[in-house]
Amino acid sequence: MDDKDAIIVGLAELRDKIEHNDFNFSRALEDIHMNIESALTNLIGKPASRLHTARSRNDQVATDFRLYVRDTIDHLMQQIGDLQRAFLKRAEQEFDTVMPGFTHLQTAQPVTLGHHLLAYVEMLSRDYHRFKDARVRLNVCPLGAAALAGTSFPIDREMTAKALGFDRPAANSLDAVSDRDFVIETLSAASICAMHLSRFAEELVIWSTPQFGFVSLSDRFSTGSSIMPQKRNPDAAELIRAKIGRIFGAQVAMTMVMKGLPMTYSKDMQEDKEGAFDAFDTLSLSLAAMKGMVSDMSFNREKMAAAAGSGFSTATDLADWLVRTLDMPFRNAHHVTGEIVALAEKQKCALEQLSLAQMQGIEPKITNAIFDVLGVQNSVQSRTSFGGTAPKNVKAQIAFWQKILST
């Protein structure tokens, strides 16, 4: 057996030992590289001394880290797709369920719950593609750049890149060993994805309060109070909301590590891994927990419908009707609608509960057809513009996403 074959056989044996937790790491040796070389020497003898030819710890670490981040991206993309499918399934169940749409957390206009849930499918799609784009830029191989300047040995970097699943070898040896953009970019994608999870977690916290009462979570994702038996706390949502900060922190910390480093490798870069490992693990856990909550949550449709009609949420429909039917300039329609809302407030009733005569007292040209657009069901049915909340739009978008996510 020549030295090459001995090294290959020996490394395969050491790999099996590591995978079976049967490898004894020694802190007396400097790092993982010296542990492997020492163990290989004990196993095959002199040929092991050739292991480090044409390579450096710098290019090996950069390569290993890329392999880890690439695998992590693949895993997170799968989880994002799974969460999209969970949202999509709930949107299909609630495609025509009416709820209030909010601006400034104030009731604005009625929307469908299915439409609201599909908004998160859209957000997660952007997250998926950010990770996918980051993976493309990541997928170049530093191996062979050696310490920083390349090597004088006649190595085949195209072969090693292909063997490790990279698209090509890194073109500049200085950049190859010092680049950590791929980590920062992946952490940036992770931070934006985490922010989206935190937004829905916040909505679950708000919606599960007695004041809203839109949603409830089972015991799997909520707990009771130690002294107040009536309370159910949305613990999983609150923990997701809090853990997201660790991901943001890792991104900032990584950028701070790299911002002051000259070419090429500096010991500072040992700080590039711990925060990234924690951030990616945290995002993976949060995606799994959010998928569980989305599948678990139950909605109070009656309370949502009642809230959808509060705060004169169909006032915009009234103003739009004045513009469409009476050819009234929108600014004038806005003023007329404000007067009608003020009258309904004074009468302590909903807009659709005003009589035609009462409305005509403010604008004589209003006809009985106005009642076709008032009321939350009429409102959501009318929002048929592309991207609007009408149930038929929601059903079309559900069909679109079912096709996309099935592949």
Side-chain angles (χ1 to χ4, degrees):
M1 184 183 295
D2 61 20
D3 289 354
K4 178 195 73 173
D5 291 335
I7 289 172
I8 291 173
V9 170
L11 287 175
E13 186 172 334
L14 294 181
R15 178 197 60 203
D16 292 341
K17 284 180 175 289
I18 291 172
E19 289 178 348
H20 290 89
N21 295 316
D22 191 29
F23 186 94
N24 295 317
F25 289 96
S26 171
R27 289 186 177 274
L29 298 170
E30 186 176 350
D31 52 31
I32 182 67
H33 310 277
M34 297 310 298
N35 267 272
I36 296 296
E37 187 169 328
S38 175
L40 189 64
T41 300
N42 292 334
L43 192 62
I44 67 171
K46 188 176 179 180
S49 61
R50 298 186 183 277
L51 180 65
H52 205 57
T53 305
R55 66 186 67 217
S56 161
R57 289 179 296 187
N58 292 355
D59 65 338
Q60 289 182 82
V61 166
T63 302
D64 288 345
F65 204 6
R66 283 178 187 265
L67 290 170
Y68 163 77
V69 175
R70 189 177 70 187
D71 287 348
T72 297
I73 287 175
D74 291 343
H75 177 65
L76 292 173
M77 287 171 63
Q78 178 63 50
Q79 286 192 287
I80 289 169
D82 290 343
L83 180 54
Q84 285 182 286
R85 282 181 277 274
F87 271 113
L88 184 62
K89 183 176 180 180
R90 300 312 304 270
E92 187 175 16
Q93 295 167 351
E94 310 292 345
F95 79 96
D96 60 350
T97 299
V98 177
M99 67 171 290
F102 299 98
T103 61
H104 311 278
L105 203 56
Q106 306 292 317
T107 300
Q109 293 176 307
V111 297
T112 49
L113 177 55
H115 192 56
H116 190 108
L117 296 173
L118 284 178
Y120 286 95
V121 177
E122 295 280 347
M123 291 184 209
L124 289 164
S125 176
R126 297 193 294 271
D127 294 325
Y128 181 94
H129 286 285
R130 268 184 282 269
F131 280 115
K132 186 176 181 180
D133 290 344
R135 193 190 194 282
V136 171
R137 280 180 288 279
L138 170 154
N139 208 34
V140 298
C141 183
L143 200 63
L148 75 160
T151 178
S152 59
F153 293 98
I155 60 174
D156 185 349
R157 292 193 61 211
E158 293 283 353
M159 182 275 289
T160 51
K162 183 178 180 181
L164 292 170
F166 290 104
D167 295 330
R168 60 179 175 83
N172 184 288
S173 61
L174 299 175
D175 183 52
V177 298
S178 64
D179 170 40
R180 294 298 183 270
D181 289 1
F182 66 94
V183 190
I184 296 172
E185 186 172 5
T186 305
L187 284 170
S188 297
S191 294
I192 298 172
C193 180
M195 176 265 292
H196 291 152
L197 299 185
S198 187
R199 290 184 70 181
F200 191 65
E202 172 68 4
E203 290 196 317
L204 287 178
V205 170
I206 293 171
W207 290 357
S208 63
T209 62
Q211 290 78 11
F212 274 75
F214 289 178
V215 69
S216 59
L217 296 166
S218 74
D219 290 349
R220 294 177 61 211
F221 297 98
S222 62
T223 61
S225 165
S226 61
I227 64 170
M228 294 169 282
Q230 82 283 5
K231 287 178 82 253
R232 298 301 304 172
N233 301 320
D235 288 359
E238 291 174 347
L239 286 169
I240 288 175
R241 190 176 58 182
K243 283 181 176 292
I244 295 320
R246 292 163 67 162
I247 301 171
F248 294 170
Q251 181 196 354
V252 173
M254 186 70 213
T255 308
M256 293 299 290
V257 166
M258 296 303 298
K259 73 173 183 62
L261 299 188
M263 288 288 190
T264 54
Y265 182 82
S266 299
K267 206 68 170 178
D268 310 51
M269 292 165 76
Q270 282 200 347
E271 289 297 307
D272 62 357
K273 297 171 192 66
E274 186 177 7
F277 292 164
D278 179 74
F280 298 143
D281 287 346
T282 298
L283 180 58
S284 179
L285 176 63
S286 298
L287 284 165
M290 184 60 78
K291 180 187 172 222
M293 281 193 294
V294 169
S295 301
D296 177 85
M297 60 190 179
S298 57
F299 296 105
N300 187 332
R301 296 181 181 91
E302 292 75 18
K303 200 153 189 178
M304 282 185 157
S310 67
F312 307 106
S313 63
T314 58
T316 307
D317 298 278
L318 193 157
D320 289 347
W321 184 90
L322 294 172
V323 172
R324 282 196 316 273
T325 306
L326 303 185
D327 197 26
M328 187 180 292
F330 184 79
R331 190 53 53 206
N332 294 1
H334 187 280
H335 178 73
V336 170
T337 301
E339 289 192 46
I340 294 174
V341 167
L343 175 61
E345 278 188 306
K346 185 177 179 181
Q347 298 291 325
K348 293 183 171 53
C349 67
L351 291 176
E352 63 270 25
Q353 293 173 325
L354 290 172
S355 68
L356 178 61
Q358 286 174 312
M359 293 193 212
Q360 288 176 333
I362 295 170
E363 172 49 62
K365 294 181 181 179
I366 292 177
T367 70
N368 206 51
I370 191 67
F371 295 102
D372 292 337
V373 301
L374 297 180
V376 293
Q377 292 292 344
N378 290 333
S379 176
V380 296
Q381 294 284 353
S382 72
R383 303 292 172 180
T384 56
S385 61
F386 181 76
T389 191
K392 72 173 188 178
N393 287 23
V394 175
K395 290 181 78 171
Q397 282 297 300
I398 288 168
F400 168 81
W401 280 112
Q402 284 173 334
K403 183 176 180 181
I404 294 294
L405 294 174
S406 68
T407 58

